[in-house]
Amino acid sequence: ALAIGFISAAMADDSYRRIEDVIYGRKYGTALTLDVFIPTPADGKKPNGAAIVFAVSGGFYSSHEAINVGFCTEFLKRGYTVFTVVHGSQPKFTIPEILDDMHRALQFIRSRAQEYKIDPNRIGICGGSAGGHLSLMQGTAGIQGNPNAKDPVERESSRVQAVACFFP
């Protein structure tokens, strides 16, 4: 079964499938979520197996309502599966805690690579403003993962293979 979430009933078109509110972790009783956009091109071409993580963040504030499908469109047209990550926000959480959320999201995505039909070695990240900053941090400070961790998600790496940032 696909990770916890539901398929959006109101899709802009049939070129992608959206799975909303997938829980990638919990922090102090709060669910950390991401949405998954899976390309389903009308011409019958399959997704390319690569993934893009979009850090939904401005001023280190993140919310589900800030997910903009328009940021995903060009990636989806080219066959990328897009994961829009919502992290804990300031002022409640510090930037290092937010970076931990991003590590967890990448580890979760990599741990579910087979489910989402992505190559765990072809994951890029992007974002604008604070999302751009988090993308740069992920690109330079990704963690290897702990092979002895009790939680199988924490055994995965949070490192990415590509970074694109906009006005970080």
Side-chain angles (χ1 to χ4, degrees):
L2 208 51
I4 298 171
F6 62 91
I7 298 174
S8 175
M11 293 194 299
D13 58 44
D14 63 354
S15 66
Y16 65 88
R17 181 170 60 111
R18 181 176 183 175
I19 305 167
E20 293 188 68
D21 294 323
V22 176
I23 297 172
Y24 68 85
R26 295 185 187 276
K27 179 161 66 176
Y28 303 111
T30 301
L32 299 170
T33 64
L34 56 82
D35 283 8
V36 185
F37 294 83
I38 302 168
T40 56
D43 62 9
K45 290 183 182 174
K46 294 183 179 183
N48 67 22
I52 300 293
V53 174
F54 191 88
V56 179
S57 191
F60 297 99
Y61 178 82
S62 188
S63 71
H64 186 264
E65 295 75 30
I67 296 172
N68 184 339
V69 178
F71 291 134
C72 305
T73 304
E74 290 304 315
F75 294 121
L76 290 165
K77 285 180 186 175
R78 289 165 174 77
Y80 292 93
T81 298
V82 180
F83 297 85
T84 55
V85 175
V86 177
H87 59 71
S89 296
Q90 282 195 341
K92 180 151 181 78
F93 299 105
T94 65
I95 294 170
E97 289 172 313
I98 292 169
L99 187 56
D100 286 341
D101 294 349
M102 295 304 297
H103 289 309
R104 174 68 187 198
L106 265 295
Q107 291 172 303
F108 175 86
I109 291 164
R110 190 164 271 118
S111 76
R112 303 299 195 281
Q114 280 190 308
E115 280 182 51
Y116 295 115
K117 296 178 177 52
I118 61 166
D119 181 341
N121 297 309
R122 293 179 63 206
I123 300 174
I125 189 168
C126 68
S129 188
H133 177 93
L134 292 169
S135 297
L136 289 171
M137 291 298 297
Q138 204 65 49
T140 59
I143 59 175
Q144 183 56 40
N146 178 357
N148 300 317
K150 183 177 179 181
D151 179 355
V153 171
E154 293 176 7
R155 295 179 197 148
E156 300 293 337
S157 168
S158 72
R159 294 180 177 166
V160 293
Q161 289 67 51
V163 176
C165 65
F166 307 96
F167 49 96

